[in-house]
Amino acid sequence: MARRNSSHDSLPHLKRREDLGGGLFAAVRECCELAARALVKHTDDGVHGVRQAFKRARAVLRLAEDAGAAPAKSLRREIAREARKFSALRDATVAARTAEKLAGDLADDAQAAARELARKKARQPNAAWWSARRAEFARIRHRLKRLGKSELAPHELEASLRCSVKRVDRQAKRACGDHDRETAHEWRKKVVVLREQILVARTLLGAETDELHDGLKRLAHRLGEATDCRVFIAAVEKHRSPARFGDAPSKLIAVAQKKQKRALKRARKCWKKVRRMLRAGFSVA
């Protein structure tokens, strides 16, 4: 039996000797329960919790979809549409936090510009907005309740994981072949999907995948650092500081671009090790 990671025990995962298709949909329902609890908190942490649970639910649905479970595709797309409604809130928080981190290492004029940007967080949605999100989410949960068994074999689950590996590998080639930041962002999304799929299937894959999961987590973190810089740069360009800051916005962008480049370099180095582990393949017990 796979070695259990106590930090992951509370997260949705497949169980031995259960119907694989039904188990995947049960894991999605658990993810949605986590999102529902986070949705009650009208805070930055609540938004992060919702988005994290949605990512995991979509990754599991993609696993089911690639394995041939018919209802998975439309549900995955519906959850993706709902998740995008939280993107502006998340980006505003990332820009503000990145500005605070950078401020301490900058000269006075750039530091003042960074702190000004940190204060320019997006206006929090009103109660009606949150109420609408809860109503939409209730419909998704209702659809999930009606899903029952979906016969899937272990070899279909293995094939589905291989599809995710191919998507990661293809996007890595694009991201490592140029310096387009958007390409790196797309790469990170594929990495996160595979990471979450391995996490949900960890008890069936064996202890050897623990190291792979950790490697994917580190890779996603490095790419996330680069993505955060990308969000910060977009925020600086959108909210140009008052004239008294002079060329401070340009300095902020230059610092963020340097930090972004360093994060991408670390990600590409991390990818070499992860790629070797991926080539070993999977075996569902």
Side-chain angles (χ1 to χ4, degrees), residues 34-63:
L34 292 173
R37 289 197 287 272
L39 196 56
V40 175
K41 307 172 187 175
H42 300 178
T43 62
D44 292 343
D45 287 342
V47 170
H48 175 70
V50 169
R51 284 173 53 83
Q52 189 176 51
F54 279 166
K55 283 180 184 178
R56 185 165 291 129
R58 285 153 51 202
V60 177
L61 285 168
R62 189 60 190 258
L63 191 62

Side-chain angles (χ1 to χ4, degrees), residues 159-178:
S160 183
L161 286 167
R162 286 195 293 271
C163 286
S164 284
V165 170
K166 287 178 181 177
R167 282 191 288 268
V168 170
D169 195 44
R170 278 197 303 267
Q171 198 62 45
K173 289 175 182 175
R174 296 190 186 106
C176 293
D178 59 45

Side-chain angles (χ1 to χ4, degrees), residues 174-175 177-185 230 260 264 268:
R174 296 190 186 106
D178 59 45
H179 296 284
D180 180 13
R181 273 52 175 177
E182 184 62 30
T183 307
H185 176 56
R230 169 178 164 272
Q260 184 182 50
L264 288 174
R268 290 174 180 129

Side-chain angles (χ1 to χ4, degrees), residues 22-33:
L24 288 174
F25 288 130
V28 174
R29 282 192 285 270
E30 289 183 58
C31 290
C32 288
E33 290 302 319

Side-chain angles (χ1 to χ4, degrees), residues 22-205:
L24 288 174
F25 288 130
V28 174
R29 282 192 285 270
E30 289 183 58
C31 290
C32 288
E33 290 302 319
L34 292 173
R37 289 197 287 272
L39 196 56
V40 175
K41 307 172 187 175
H42 300 178
T43 62
D44 292 343
D45 287 342
V47 170
H48 175 70
V50 169
R51 284 173 53 83
Q52 189 176 51
F54 279 166
K55 283 180 184 178
R56 185 165 291 129
R58 285 153 51 202
V60 177
L61 285 168
R62 189 60 190 258
L63 191 62
E65 177 187 336
D66 288 340
K73 186 173 183 178
S74 62
L75 265 170
R76 179 175 62 83
R77 289 182 171 179
E78 187 174 355
I79 291 175
R81 285 193 296 270
E82 188 64 22
R84 281 194 288 271
K85 295 174 183 177
F86 292 86
S87 296
L89 291 173
R90 184 264 179 193
D91 287 353
T93 299
V94 166
R97 288 179 177 173
T98 304
E100 282 291 346
K101 288 179 182 178
L102 293 178
D105 299 325
L106 298 170
D108 290 345
D109 56 344
Q111 185 178 100
R115 295 199 184 284
E116 167 110 347
L117 179 63
R119 288 192 292 270
K120 286 191 176 186
K121 290 191 63 176
R123 184 184 304 171
Q124 287 296 313
N126 58 27
W129 187 90
W130 288 104
S131 180
R133 300 292 77 76
R134 283 192 292 271
E136 291 165 354
F137 192 50
R139 288 193 289 272
I140 293 173
R141 293 169 75 189
H142 181 68
R143 284 189 64 188
L144 280 166
K145 285 180 181 178
R146 294 181 301 185
L147 293 176
K149 291 186 177 181
S150 179
E151 297 296 332
L152 295 177
H155 73 272
E156 291 173 311
L157 192 63
E158 290 175 12
S160 183
L161 286 167
R162 286 195 293 271
C163 286
S164 284
V165 170
K166 287 178 181 177
R167 282 191 288 268
V168 170
D169 195 44
R170 278 197 303 267
Q171 198 62 45
K173 289 175 182 175
R174 296 190 186 106
C176 293
D178 59 45
H179 296 284
D180 180 13
R181 273 52 175 177
E182 184 62 30
T183 307
H185 176 56
E186 290 300 315
W187 183 21
R188 182 179 185 272
K189 289 197 289 188
K190 304 294 188 297
V191 169
V192 168
V193 168
L194 180 58
R195 181 194 71 194
E196 296 302 320
Q197 290 175 344
I198 288 174
L199 183 60
V200 81
R202 69 188 186 278
T203 52
L204 306 181
L205 293 172

Side-chain angles (χ1 to χ4, degrees), residues 5 8 13 68 149 196:
N5 186 329
H8 295 156
H13 61 277
K149 291 186 177 181
E196 296 302 320

